[in-house]
Amino acid sequence: MYALTNCTIYTTQAILIDHAVVIEGQQISAIIPINALTNDIDRIDLQGQNLTPGFIDLQLNGCGGVMFNGAVTEQTLATMQAANLKSGTTSYLPTFITDTDQGIKKALHVTREYMQKKPNEVLGLHLEGPYINVQKKGIHRQEFIRQPDPEMIDLICANSDVVSQITMAPEKTPNQFIEQLANAGIVVSLGHSNGTYQQATEAIQHGASSATHLFNAMTSITGREPGVVGAIYDNNIYAGIIVDGFHVAYENVRLSKRIMGDKLILVTDATAPAGADISEFDFVGTTVYYKQGKCVGKDGTLGGSAVTLIESIEQCVKFVGISLEEAIRMATIYPAKAISVDNKLGSIEVGKIANLAIFNNDYQVTGTVVNGCYKATE
């Protein structure tokens, strides 16, 4: 048992000062006024920094110099977790983009093995594709994009304890499959879609409850056709948004926040350069170049991002005009609710798993707590 003291605590429900968070084993056991702490409890003095729930990233292709599609191994997931901790992300969905059926099966196996050994770090797999629209493929390999196959949909549903989210184009996916996946407890997310407002709305009515990287690789609002973006706005579903200054204009982040409220979630869509010093990397057979914070293929196509969640929070505050308290929620409790893990993660509450982030007023992460274990950032 130990206590985290001398900090500003953002619980997601309140901002507390002169309080301590007491951790016992893996859980938060108490949140009490500092003067109620007994002298026999070990203390970690956070020197006036911010204490928040650990950030949760629902879309992470890679970081720390590695890509999950590039090396589908438990070591890759461990490397990503270690890199995440340097920027306050304590839990994430490794994202496996469009690949063969065999590739998907391997990703399922590796993710399951890792999750069984390391609880509350990898929260499940995000399958981004392969059931998407070639016209909005982005960096995805065209030869692997295909129609949903009933046998594979059955397999994915049978692994719903491992698959947390799947990104699909509604115009390419029969509603029966969307319904089947949603009924299995998998978050069906609209993305890489050239669909109409009507097609997206029908998918939502059949169980789609989220959208992948809002504005990117999807039809947007025009005067006569609201597109997928309009359907997201109009149907009160969750959507991840990449706030790196490249993927979405800050003004559009602000407009979306005003419309969507607590359904707008910060995601990174990060790739190998996040938390690493590299200038290029392979993304499913395409060389992606990292220059001045931007990841692009030779043709200029965006190939993921190199942003972290702490940087996303900072940019929301500085350039979008969102309060720090709300930006923290966008990286913690809202993603936890979107994938139904808010019963144990996403906020600082008694009884929840002690996954926490510590950062100073310059948005430098100085430490994390994962499953109750405190670690200073190196």
Side-chain angles (χ1 to χ4, degrees):
M1 183 188 288
Y2 65 95
L4 299 170
T5 65
N6 187 19
C7 53
T8 300
I9 304 167
Y10 289 84
T11 70
T12 72
Q13 297 173 332
I15 303 173
L16 304 175
I17 55 172
D18 297 325
H19 278 64
V21 174
V22 181
I23 295 166
E24 186 172 4
Q26 293 190 330
Q27 294 183 317
I28 297 165
S29 64
I31 304 163
I32 55 176
I34 194 73
N35 57 17
L37 264 186
T38 56
N39 292 330
D40 60 335
I41 295 180
D42 291 337
R43 304 181 186 208
I44 297 175
D45 185 334
L46 297 184
Q47 302 178 326
Q49 297 181 100
N50 303 304
L51 177 65
T52 74
F55 310 144
I56 300 170
D57 194 347
L58 302 187
Q59 190 178 8
L60 186 67
N61 306 287
C63 57
V66 300
M67 297 287 288
F68 191 43
N69 271 82
V72 186
T73 65
E74 290 180 58
Q75 182 55 54
T76 298
L77 298 178
T79 299
M80 289 167 68
Q81 176 72 10
N84 279 338
L85 295 184
K86 295 177 182 177
S87 56
T89 298
T90 55
S91 304
Y92 71 104
L93 300 185
T95 300
F96 190 75
I97 77 164
T98 297
D99 205 317
T100 63
D101 287 349
Q102 202 55 43
I104 292 171
K105 290 173 184 176
K106 185 175 182 182
L108 288 169
H109 173 73
V110 168
T111 304
R112 180 181 296 283
E113 292 289 307
Y114 188 89
M115 289 174 69
Q116 288 173 347
K117 295 170 188 172
K118 301 275 191 177
N120 306 312
E121 294 183 0
V122 169
L123 301 179
L125 188 63
H126 180 166
L127 292 173
E128 189 181 343
Y131 314 123
I132 58 173
N133 194 318
V134 170
Q135 292 174 291
K136 295 288 185 179
K137 68 181 178 63
I139 207 84
H140 292 236
R141 286 176 68 170
Q142 183 168 335
E143 65 266 33
F144 295 149
I145 295 171
R146 53 196 183 276
Q147 294 290 322
D149 169 71
E151 192 175 321
M152 275 304 291
I153 297 294
D154 286 345
L155 178 73
I156 291 166
C157 288
N159 286 273
S160 61
D161 58 329
V162 171
V163 182
S164 180
Q165 186 166 325
I166 183 167
T167 296
M168 317 177 87
E171 72 279 16
K172 297 294 182 179
T173 309
N175 289 327
Q176 71 201 58
F177 291 141
I178 292 173
E179 209 163 272
Q180 183 182 348
L181 289 157
N183 288 340
I186 296 169
V187 173
V188 177
S189 192
L190 308 179
H192 289 277
S193 167
N194 204 38
T196 64
Y197 168 89
Q198 188 60 42
Q199 288 169 324
T201 297
E202 282 183 19
I204 293 165
Q205 290 167 347
H206 282 83
S209 61
S210 185
T212 297
H213 43 49
L214 184 66
F215 289 107
N216 298 115
M218 65 176 61
T219 49
S220 198
I221 297 171
T222 63
R224 302 180 71 85
E225 170 51 52
V228 174
V229 172
I232 293 162
Y233 284 167
D234 209 22
N235 285 280
N236 198 35
I237 64 169
Y238 287 101
I241 196 164
I242 306 166
V243 183
D244 64 352
F246 302 115
H247 279 78
V248 182
Y250 292 127
E251 294 83 358
N252 276 333
V253 179
R254 184 161 55 248
L255 286 167
S256 300
K257 181 64 181 163
R258 194 172 297 159
I259 293 166
M260 296 178 64
D262 62 1
K263 295 300 176 74
L264 190 66
I265 295 167
L266 290 176
V267 296
T268 63
D269 195 24
T271 53
D277 184 18
I278 57 175
S279 59
E280 61 182 68
F281 61 98
D282 180 84
F283 199 171
V284 291
T286 297
T287 300
V288 177
Y289 301 92
Y290 175 61
K291 295 178 183 176
Q292 298 176 314
K294 194 174 186 179
C295 298
V296 291
K298 192 176 287 186
D299 62 355
T301 300
L302 284 169
S305 85
V307 77
T308 63
L309 279 179
I310 190 64
E311 291 167 340
S312 304
I313 289 169
E314 179 180 11
Q315 287 167 164
C316 277
V317 173
K318 291 182 176 178
F319 304 122
V320 182
I322 296 170
S323 70
L324 175 58
E325 183 181 14
E326 182 62 14
I328 289 166
R329 290 190 193 104
M330 292 170 70
T332 57
I333 190 62
Y334 300 161
K337 287 182 175 179
I339 61 167
S340 301
V341 295
D342 54 304
N343 61 318
K344 62 176 182 174
L345 295 169
S347 62
I348 299 179
E349 291 182 66
V350 172
K352 285 198 173 183
I353 298 294
N355 277 17
L356 307 169
I358 301 144
F359 61 94
N360 62 28
N361 290 332
D362 292 323
Y363 298 93
Q364 298 298 311
V365 172
T366 61
T368 51
V369 177
V370 178
N371 292 316
C373 295
Y374 169 80
K375 183 181 181 183
T377 302
E378 297 171 359

